């Protein structure tokens, strides 16, 4: 497969798989699991051209910048994605939350 869809929720895995079958998509692998465990432990370093993170769930905003609950796009996970990407690989994150986008920029800048 040329593309990998990684989803944590079973309903999304099923929906993606069903759509791929119905549309006869033959170059897509679909994997269910926790990306924070799969990427660093099962993806070969420097093997990915593109990573797309579409509308990740923002953390619960509990106060200032430093009081955020756990969420997918932590500093450690950004480092794992960097390790998985080829030297000139591209990471694209799409969010509709300005606050979350600003938090992610702060995390990446560290």
């Amino acid at each position: 497969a040329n593309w990998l869809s990684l989803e944590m929720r079973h309903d999304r895995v099923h929906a993606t798989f069903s759509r791929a079958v119905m549309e006869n998509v033959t170059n897509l692998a679909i994997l269910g699991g926790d990306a924070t465990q799969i990427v660093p432990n099962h993806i070969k370093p420097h093997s990915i051209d593109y990573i797309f993170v579409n509308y990740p769930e923002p953390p619960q905003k509990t106060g200032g910048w430093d009081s955020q609950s756990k969420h997918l796009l932590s500093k450690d996970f950004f480092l794992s994605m960097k390790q998985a990407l080829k030297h000139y690989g591209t990471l694209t994150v799409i969010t509709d939350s300005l606050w979350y986008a600003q938090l992610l920029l702060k995390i990446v800048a560290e």
Side-chain angles (χ1 to χ4, degrees):
N2 295 328
W3 293 89
L4 171 66
S5 173
L6 179 54
E7 291 284 355
M8 185 169 203
R9 291 180 34 189
H10 297 292
D11 61 327
R12 290 184 181 161
V13 172
H14 181 266
T16 304
F17 175 77
S18 297
R19 185 171 180 187
V21 168
M22 296 303 286
E23 295 184 17
N24 198 30
V25 175
T26 60
N27 64 347
L28 173 66
I30 304 160
L31 184 60
D34 184 347
T36 64
Q37 298 302 310
I38 292 171
V39 172
N41 298 313
H42 301 286
I43 302 295
K44 183 179 172 183
H46 312 295
S47 63
I48 305 292
D49 290 307
Y50 304 98
I51 296 176
F52 299 94
V53 183
N54 298 323
Y55 301 99
E57 189 68 33
Q60 295 296 315
K61 190 173 178 184
T62 59
W65 286 103
D66 297 326
S67 63
Q68 308 312 317
S69 62
K70 187 175 178 181
H71 59 108
L72 173 65
L73 296 176
S74 66
K75 180 178 180 180
D76 287 341
F77 191 59
F78 272 112
L79 292 172
S80 294
M81 290 187 291
K82 179 182 177 187
Q83 182 68 20
L85 283 168
K86 291 181 179 176
H87 183 64
Y88 288 102
T90 302
L91 169 64
T92 302
V93 178
I94 299 172
T95 181
D96 55 3
S97 168
L98 177 60
W99 170 83
Y100 191 37
Q102 291 171 336
L103 175 65
L104 295 176
L105 288 172
K106 182 179 179 195
I107 291 169
V108 170
E110 291 179 353

